[in-house]
Amino acid sequence: FFNAISSRQTFYMLRIQNKMPPIVTFCHLIHMSLHKFNIEWVWCAPLHLELPMHLLRDKFTPPPGLKFACLGGTWASGSEIREINDRYAETDIMVVYGSTEIGAGAWNHIGSFPGKAHTVGKPLKGVTISASGEILKAASEPSVFTGYYNNSDLTSSCFTEDRLYCKTGDLGEIDADGFLVIKGRVDDMIILSVG
């Protein structure tokens, strides 16, 4: 999407002229592009839609053509997702959870479940929670990777001892209505707000 509508020169010029940090510049570029090119759908981190709302404040207008936004790559609080949903009122908002190793793990269509914005939705087939709270996905699911190239030790560490499940490294719980709530990480991996 961005390769098609912008060039490195455009991004670089915008950054020099505005003297903004790269993420602020990137969010401005996204917001301007969504308006200028009448983009109908976007897949991005929640911050990419949230930051323009805060930077532009009263001058913020949601892109009129944006019909669908799929948010993933990083965690956002329920209040942040609700605010995005409210400010982008004409846009269908979907929150997605997953990783490169397991593919999709859950999704939440905010319009269908407005009271569940703090969750990532109902887990997909094969997703479960271990006794320690780690989110697992059945290794038999086609979206689960088979291992890291030439690194059997790292591959082994990503699966349960019986190799029935792939470990995500994420902690979660299933609420009373069957929705997956992300609670943190098992390890010290750092995930920035931009994914």
Side-chain angles (χ1 to χ4, degrees), residues 110-176:
I110 302 303
S112 299
F113 308 105
K116 295 295 183 177
H118 64 288
T119 77
V120 292
K122 294 200 174 189
L124 298 177
K125 181 181 171 204
V127 175
T128 189
I129 308 291
S130 73
S132 64
E134 185 171 7
I135 301 168
L136 307 173
K137 188 163 184 183
S140 60
E141 289 298 313
S143 64
V144 174
F145 85 135
T146 56
Y148 294 107
Y149 181 71
N150 282 342
N151 196 334
S152 58
D153 290 340
L154 185 57
T155 297
S156 294
S157 72
C158 291
F159 290 90
T160 55
E161 285 185 33
D162 56 12
R163 281 198 61 91
L164 292 177
Y165 290 95
C166 181
K167 300 187 280 186
T168 65
D170 295 317
L171 296 171
E173 66 183 24
I174 307 291
D175 72 10

Side-chain angles (χ1 to χ4, degrees), residues 56-84:
L56 299 172
R57 294 191 177 101
D58 295 337
K59 294 178 184 173
F60 172 80
T61 56
L66 189 61
K67 308 260 186 280
F68 181 78
C70 190
L71 308 179
T74 188
W75 180 84
S77 71
S79 61
E80 291 169 320
I81 297 298
R82 280 189 291 279
E83 184 179 11
I84 291 169

Side-chain angles (χ1 to χ4, degrees), residues 10-31:
T10 305
F11 179 75
Y12 181 69
M13 287 173 51
L14 182 66
R15 185 172 170 201
I16 289 174
Q17 289 171 355
N18 292 321
K19 297 182 181 169
M20 293 186 230
I23 187 59
V24 173
T25 303
F26 186 63
C27 289
H28 269 286
L29 179 62
I30 290 172
H31 188 69

Side-chain angles (χ1 to χ4, degrees), residues 75 133 135 168-172 181-187:
W75 180 84
I135 301 168
T168 65
D170 295 317
L171 296 171
V181 180
I182 305 297
K183 301 304 258 180
R185 292 280 305 161
V186 171
D187 57 24

